[in-house]
Amino acid sequence: MVAAASVAALALAACGSSSDNASSGNGSTGSSTKKALKVGLAYDIGGRGDQSFNDAAAAGLDKAKSELGVTAQEAEATSGEAESAKEDRLRTLAQAGYNPIVAVGFAYASATDKVAAEFPDINFAIVDNARSDKTPKNVHGLLFAENEGSYLVGAIAALKSKSGNIGFVGGVQVPLIQKFEAGYVAGAKAINPNIKIQTKYLTQPPDFSGFTDPAKGKTAAQGMLDAGADVIYHAAGGSGGGVFEAVKAKNAMAIGVDSDQALTAAPAVRDVIISSMIKKVDVAVYDFIKSAQDGTIPDGDQVYDLKKGGVDYSTTGGHIDDIKSKVDDLKQQIIDGKITVPTQP
């Protein structure tokens, strides 16, 4: 057992950085004892440096380290790994005294429920997965209204398109990514009911490589561009880099996702990114860590929508300054309940 623990500790050290000088927090939900926490964060495939989803989570963790004085250990999923690998990753963090632990991505759903049941005094959060009747009480979902933010960039795509032909590239065809598609299509059609929208998913579950394959993203985007699209929105994680490359080569327009990718994508392609659907995973991760430190973790899931500022669109580069007032009007209508955005295509 000692040898196994040593191996696990070394494995974690290889995946991230940590400082063990701070004490771990009280794991009981609702504790009022405020301590400098040891936070565990388990990334989805692509990890820190994916310029998108995982990097947004990393930004929230970095803010917590800077402002709250927490220390952290990071670990990362690998493409094609077994479910047991996710369980082992979370279990190793729990055994090492990290509390709270944040799992980034719905792929951790089963593993989080299983490991959380083994460690009832540790608080877990999972990004993009809602609680079920079987979810342990110490698991908290951090959810987003991706459909609402995607509605806005769909409107942007329709307003900016000169060909009346736009595209959507999804990483993996799962209900979560279909929320992006549903909002995008609805927003575009609200502007132009006759607009043509090409849709392509890179892989089907259980193959999740669609989030980490820029070559597939590039091929999909090239096909759409060749078929007349002049604006392409991706919700494909690391594969989005390939989408941007294809768009750049055709001097077309792209819309990023999760982070403001006009600031985070490879410098050579940033000028073709006219906007991004910002999903504020950083805010959710930071809020959860802070509530854990304060002993005020709310029960159940937390939903970050437009009204709560959890999703939005970016304006970096000034490409959409001429239509910003129209987009902001749509945004306010969603917040006011005048527009209901679908969650399914």
Side-chain angles (χ1 to χ4, degrees):
M1 291 178 67
V2 171
S6 298
V7 170
L10 288 171
L12 279 171
C15 293
S17 62
S18 87
S19 171
D20 296 324
N21 293 327
S23 60
S24 65
N26 186 326
S28 301
T29 302
S31 167
S32 60
T33 303
K34 187 172 181 179
K35 298 181 180 181
L37 303 183
K38 289 172 58 178
V39 179
L41 193 144
Y43 292 112
D44 202 351
I45 298 168
R48 183 188 280 267
D50 73 344
Q51 302 175 353
S52 186
F53 181 63
N54 289 294
D55 269 356
L61 178 64
D62 290 344
K63 182 179 178 182
K65 287 193 286 188
S66 174
E67 296 187 6
L68 306 178
V70 306
T71 55
Q73 181 65 66
E74 302 169 49
E76 180 182 330
T78 57
S79 183
E81 69 180 12
E83 183 67 22
S84 59
K86 293 180 175 61
E87 295 172 8
D88 290 343
R89 186 173 301 115
L90 297 176
R91 189 175 291 113
T92 300
L93 287 167
Q95 290 172 337
Y98 290 92
N99 183 18
I101 295 172
V102 180
V104 183
F106 64 88
Y108 278 100
S110 296
T112 302
D113 283 359
K114 184 174 181 179
V115 177
E118 299 171 10
F119 297 89
D121 291 332
I122 291 179
N123 282 302
F124 291 78
I126 179 167
V127 178
D128 285 345
N129 193 70
R131 291 179 54 84
S132 71
D133 293 340
K134 297 180 180 179
T135 302
K137 292 183 179 180
N138 56 324
V139 177
H140 310 271
L142 304 179
L143 310 177
F144 298 84
E146 296 93 350
N147 55 319
E148 293 183 355
S150 295
Y151 185 99
L152 299 181
V153 296
I156 289 169
L159 288 165
K160 282 295 181 178
S161 176
K162 297 177 181 178
S163 67
N165 187 331
I166 62 176
F168 172 80
V169 176
V172 183
Q173 192 167 9
V174 292
L176 173 65
I177 305 304
Q178 289 178 307
K179 284 176 66 180
F180 291 80
E181 178 194 354
Y184 181 67
V185 170
K189 287 187 174 296
I191 299 298
N192 178 4
N194 298 316
I195 196 167
K196 181 177 180 180
I197 305 171
Q198 302 180 57
T199 298
K200 174 70 175 178
Y201 285 91
L202 303 181
T203 60
Q204 301 289 324
D207 180 1
F208 287 89
S209 65
F211 291 127
T212 57
D213 195 333
K216 284 183 178 177
K218 186 173 184 178
T219 298
Q222 285 173 333
M224 292 178 177
L225 293 162
D226 290 343
D230 59 356
V231 186
I232 298 179
Y233 171 43
H234 87 88
S239 300
V243 173
F244 296 148
E245 289 177 9
V247 170
K248 176 73 174 181
K250 286 282 190 176
N251 196 30
M253 294 171 279
I255 296 175
V257 75
D258 295 336
S259 300
D260 182 351
Q261 294 200 284
L263 299 175
T264 64
V269 301
R270 292 179 184 177
D271 61 328
V272 300
I273 302 172
I274 61 172
S275 184
S276 295
M277 196 289 283
I278 301 175
K279 178 174 171 178
K280 298 185 180 179
V281 178
D282 56 331
V283 174
V285 169
Y286 175 83
D287 285 352
F288 179 73
I289 294 171
K290 188 175 189 305
S291 66
Q293 187 174 74
D294 293 342
T296 57
I297 296 177
D299 292 333
D301 297 331
Q302 296 299 301
V303 180
Y304 290 80
D305 56 10
L306 274 177
K307 188 172 185 178
K308 196 172 180 179
V311 293
D312 210 336
Y313 72 97
S314 67
T315 60
T316 298
H319 302 286
I320 61 170
D321 288 352
D322 58 326
I323 61 171
K324 187 176 183 301
S325 61
K326 294 180 181 179
V327 180
D328 284 343
D329 178 62
L330 293 171
K331 177 179 176 180
Q332 192 60 50
Q333 288 187 60
I334 295 172
I335 291 172
D336 293 341
K338 295 178 181 178
I339 295 176
T340 300
V341 184
T343 58
Q344 296 179 336

